[in-house]
Amino acid sequence: MLNPPIVISSCNAARPFPASSIPGILFPSAAAAIKSDNPNPNLRNCKERHINSFHNYLYFNITSTATSSSCLLRPPSAGSFLSSSLSGFSSSLNRTRGGDGDGDGDGRRDKNLSMGGFTDVAALDSSAARKIPRLNAAVLGESLATEDDQLILSSDQFSSNAHISSYHQYLEMYKRSIEDPAGFWSDIASSEFFWKQKWDQQVYSENLDVRKGEIKIEWFKGGITNICYNCLDRNIEAGLGDKVAIYWEGNEPGFDGTLTYIELLHKVCQLANFLKDNGVRKGDAVVIYMPMLMELPIAMLACARIGAVHSVVFAGFSSESLAQRIIDCKPKIVITCNAVKRGSKVIYLKDIIDAALIESAQNAVSVATCLTYENKSALKRESTKWKEGRDIWWQDVVPTYPTTCTVEWVDAEYPLFLLYTSGSTGKPKGVLHTTGGYMVYTATTFKYAFDYKPSDVYWCTADCGWITGHSYVTYGPLLNGASVIVFEGAPNYPDPGRCWDIVDKYKVTIFYTAPTLVRSLMREGNEHVTRYLRKSLRVLGSVGEPINPSAWRWFYNVVGESRCPISDTWWQTETGGFMITPLPGAWSQKPGSATFPFFGVQPVLVDEKGNEIEGECSGYLCLKSSWPSAFRTLYNDQERYETTYFKPFPGYYFSGDGCTRDKDGYYWLTGRVDDVINVSGHRIGTAEVESALVSHPQCAEAAVVGVEHEVKGQGIYAFVTLVDGVSYSEELRKSLIITVRKQIGAFAAPDKIHWAPGLPKTRSGKIMRRILRKIASKQLEELGDISTLADPGVVDQLIELADC
């Protein structure tokens, strides 16, 4: 049972709370003071919150003072991730008064101030009024977020309608998910999904410690199910057959289409029957190399229906990269498209497939069938290169098959898909996800992290070639019976307003995208956003990398009109679903912070020796204990699986990311630890420097890498893209450096500012830092394959500007 909140009355002015940041419950008189006296207009309309029930309390940051006789104190924690915050609160008192952390300076811990629980401490006798803080915060739907606002407070209206309407509700659920993970997840799995047979008595088993034997994770083993059945048949049986499952938006405005759930099922069954008729059996691999047509999720679902293991390869990878993946997984069939038009550029996918299949055949892996979809808007079939006996046109054969297909029921631990991700050795890693745990976790995270409602129209801009497209374009949304947008084109074509045109056209309510796209659109100017209504939007989301606070505020203020919370999610290909994420309406947000862990997730920060660090700190982000959607191995490479993820810190899953936990317990991702630069002994996260640079009003985007420095060991090399219309100048270069010095410190000042008209990115928006490192180090002969870039020409521009 959770402890009741502390009650503090008539606090002594001789024992003030420190001027540092202290989160807590807002007591009634403090609420009145804020509404009537507080100089911050963003809080004048902030309503009183209930105290004894935790129903709608707020976190606040203290920056200055105003008079009142109330106090603020943190609510109790339910899990290790907040226990550190409690110690942080105690230590902040210690810093002010000295000694033991109880604030009285006597070196003794007062019994009634034990941070293990909360009691009435009116014994902090006082008759004098205490000064309460001026609170720098903006209220959802009431005001814009400024650079001085450290918090975005949820409104009562949003919270009251949210799935998780308060932090107290979250804490109760989180506490159970940690203390009783088997009960927590089995309750969700049994009540919200169809199982042909229930799992064994043991819900999960795990070993995350290499010292105790082979790494192994299993969830719902013995349970028999099928994820395609749960995405489609189950929703149709629930009455959603005529609901739109997919809205498809083509590259050119005006080209679109829709599929209802029952229409989608029919198409999935037709393709599944074709695959079976062409020798694909349970356990066989199928490589899918397609653009964002409706046929891409159809192909994924068709494989899942018959127990085949799909491996989607982003339709931007070169023939060499594609061949590597084909050689590794040895597919029975390859599914592709003859071409795609992205913006004004035509990409000949069939030519890439042909070259990859030649290379794979030279390595003793031959593929008998290449099913090819004719994308008429990009290339006619008569202009498509063809190999008789191997190549088959989708439109000629698939529609001739029956619209029903028997489901292949599989064990929860049966492989669902392989997704290859880049590795430090150059050989791609085949991340293997299984069926049951992945199904339960992706559906649950989608529901709560986006506060999904049946009336929502959801759009994630990611490609299905990446994990985001698997978990939060296809499986997570469809498991919830959602209407999903699949977009073939480029977000800035034919102009930078395309995203908001689509939002208005389909009345999108949830919009999930990458910080890179946010910064790119931010650079184009507000007018491309504000000429569209966007009134349907109610939740925004960010994925792929840490989002810097200035981009967060622009996303919140301009795109969401200060009324849409932002789910800034942290997770990985390997995790399968969200690990740390805000839950809209449940608690206050801090621009740039992923906030708190999702149910069942236990993040810890460790030092170089693997020791857990408590309280306010920075360290290596690890996870202890498993979660249902965790990947089970690297395909055909268990040794690499264990060495990469579990040997660095035995007993933990090592994410490879750096992270900071602030005094309030909020988590801030600082980027990959291999993106940490060691300058004269100072470990500086590249994301931190990038965030400082982008806060400059004339900087649209920045990417920072480390380079060798004869004095400091490593130097900071910054590629900077300016706002349109701003010219390069030495004065601006100095101004950018000064901005970093002011925000972080002189030790973080860039040694080099490299002007960048654009940055080398994949189509999904990921910055290829490997290429930037080579340019910065002048190792131009080692640039490697740049064919996966959205615009390879950017590389030549950067090289030309190297000495400017």
Side-chain angles (χ1 to χ4, degrees), residues 300 310 312 417 419 438 464 466-472 474-476:
M300 295 165 68
H310 62 72
V312 181
F417 65 85
L419 187 57
Y438 176 84
C464 286
W466 311 109
I467 187 62
T468 305
H470 283 60
S471 299
Y472 300 111
T474 304
Y475 291 117

Side-chain angles (χ1 to χ4, degrees), residues 228 231-233 235-236 240-247 258-272 293-302 305 394 398 402-405 473-475 477-479 481-484 486:
C228 176
C231 284
L232 303 180
D233 307 63
N235 283 316
I236 292 168
L240 300 182
D242 293 329
K243 181 178 181 178
V244 173
I246 297 176
Y247 290 102
T258 61
L259 285 176
T260 64
Y261 270 87
I262 198 162
E263 289 170 340
L264 178 57
L265 175 61
H266 289 167
K267 289 185 176 294
V268 166
C269 287
Q270 287 179 320
L271 180 57
L293 304 174
M294 287 189 283
E295 285 68 24
L296 176 47
I298 287 171
M300 295 165 68
L301 291 163
R305 191 170 192 85
W394 178 308
V398 174
T403 57
T404 59
C405 179
V473 173
T474 304
Y475 291 117
L478 295 179
L479 286 165
S483 295
V484 182
V486 172

Side-chain angles (χ1 to χ4, degrees), residues 450-467:
F450 294 123
D451 189 42
Y452 170 74
K453 305 290 174 37
S455 58
D456 281 322
V457 175
Y458 168 79
W459 182 20
C460 171
T461 62
D463 192 289
C464 286
W466 311 109
I467 187 62

Side-chain angles (χ1 to χ4, degrees), residues 194-197 223-230 233-234 237 282 304-307 405-412 414 435 439:
F194 177 82
W195 299 82
K196 192 76 170 177
Q197 176 182 307
I224 306 299
T225 189
N226 183 282
I227 196 170
C228 176
Y229 182 91
N230 276 278
D233 307 63
R234 181 176 59 91
E237 291 164 8
K282 180 181 178 181
R305 191 170 192 85
I306 62 173
C405 179
T406 304
V407 172
E408 182 71 47
W409 300 103
V410 300
D411 189 276
Y414 196 79
T435 302
M439 174 179 74

Side-chain angles (χ1 to χ4, degrees), residues 5-263:
I6 189 168
V7 178
I8 301 179
S9 60
S10 303
C11 293
N12 195 329
R15 297 183 179 124
F17 282 79
S20 60
S21 180
I22 301 175
I25 300 168
L26 180 60
F27 284 71
S29 57
I34 289 171
K35 287 192 293 183
S36 59
D37 301 329
N38 199 281
N40 186 344
N42 293 339
L43 289 179
R44 288 175 186 158
N45 297 322
C46 183
K47 299 178 181 178
E48 296 180 16
R49 264 56 174 178
H50 298 289
I51 302 307
N52 294 329
S53 68
F54 279 102
H55 180 258
N56 259 329
Y57 66 81
L58 306 174
Y59 278 119
F60 293 104
N61 281 64
I62 297 175
T63 55
S64 60
T65 58
T67 301
S68 178
S69 59
S70 298
C71 296
L72 294 169
L73 194 63
R74 168 189 306 282
S77 79
S80 61
F81 80 99
L82 277 179
S83 65
S84 58
S85 300
L86 297 177
S87 63
F89 171 79
S90 180
S91 63
S92 68
L93 291 175
N94 184 39
R95 287 193 298 272
T96 303
R97 301 297 299 165
D100 55 11
D102 64 8
D104 61 9
D106 64 3
R108 300 187 305 273
R109 181 174 296 282
D110 287 346
K111 201 171 184 180
N112 60 359
L113 275 177
S114 169
M115 289 297 110
F118 291 89
T119 58
D120 188 326
V121 290
L124 290 179
D125 50 274
S126 168
S127 58
R130 188 184 76 83
K131 292 184 177 182
I132 70 164
R134 170 182 173 180
L135 311 171
N136 282 350
V139 180
L140 190 70
E142 295 183 13
S143 54
L144 297 177
T146 70
E147 290 188 6
D148 293 329
D149 292 324
Q150 296 168 300
L151 291 171
I152 308 299
L153 312 179
S154 182
S155 66
D156 285 339
Q157 181 180 3
F158 192 101
S159 293
S160 63
N161 294 313
H163 287 305
I164 308 297
S165 59
S166 69
Y167 196 72
H168 175 55
Q169 182 186 356
Y170 162 76
L171 283 179
E172 288 184 325
M173 293 177 68
Y174 181 81
K175 185 172 186 286
R176 187 189 175 210
S177 74
I178 299 304
E179 295 178 351
D180 179 23
F184 180 86
W185 289 112
S186 62
D187 283 353
I188 292 174
S190 59
S191 63
E192 299 190 26
F193 303 91
F194 177 82
W195 299 82
K196 192 76 170 177
Q197 176 182 307
K198 195 171 180 181
W199 47 90
D200 300 338
Q201 187 172 0
Q202 187 175 16
V203 177
Y204 74 100
S205 62
E206 63 181 30
N207 174 40
L208 274 60
D209 194 335
V210 292
R211 298 166 299 188
K212 297 178 180 179
E214 182 178 277
I215 299 299
K216 190 173 184 180
I217 299 170
E218 293 179 336
W219 282 82
F220 310 113
K221 188 173 178 61
I224 306 299
T225 189
N226 183 282
I227 196 170
C228 176
Y229 182 91
N230 276 278
C231 284
L232 303 180
D233 307 63
R234 181 176 59 91
N235 283 316
I236 292 168
E237 291 164 8
L240 300 182
D242 293 329
K243 181 178 181 178
V244 173
I246 297 176
Y247 290 102
W248 178 73
E249 177 75 6
N251 180 67
E252 298 293 337
F255 287 80
D256 52 35
T258 61
L259 285 176
T260 64
Y261 270 87
I262 198 162
E263 289 170 340

Side-chain angles (χ1 to χ4, degrees), residues 338 350-351 372 379-386 393:
N338 61 342
K350 183 61 167 51
D351 292 354
T372 306
L379 184 69
K380 303 299 182 184
R381 67 167 63 190
E382 52 268 23
S383 301
T384 304
K385 294 178 182 178
W386 206 249
W393 286 112

Side-chain angles (χ1 to χ4, degrees), residues 247 249 455-461 483-487 498-513 533-541 559 563-564:
Y247 290 102
E249 177 75 6
S455 58
D456 281 322
V457 175
Y458 168 79
W459 182 20
C460 171
T461 62
S483 295
V484 182
I485 289 176
V486 172
F487 177 44
R498 184 68 186 278
C499 285
W500 322 122
D501 177 52
I502 293 172
V503 166
D504 281 359
K505 177 178 178 178
Y506 296 103
K507 302 296 185 288
V508 173
T509 57
I510 304 171
F511 180 69
Y512 188 40
T513 193
L533 295 176
R534 295 160 289 111
K535 296 299 182 185
S536 58
L537 288 173
R538 68 178 195 88
V539 175
L540 303 175
V559 175
R563 56 183 171 74
C564 302

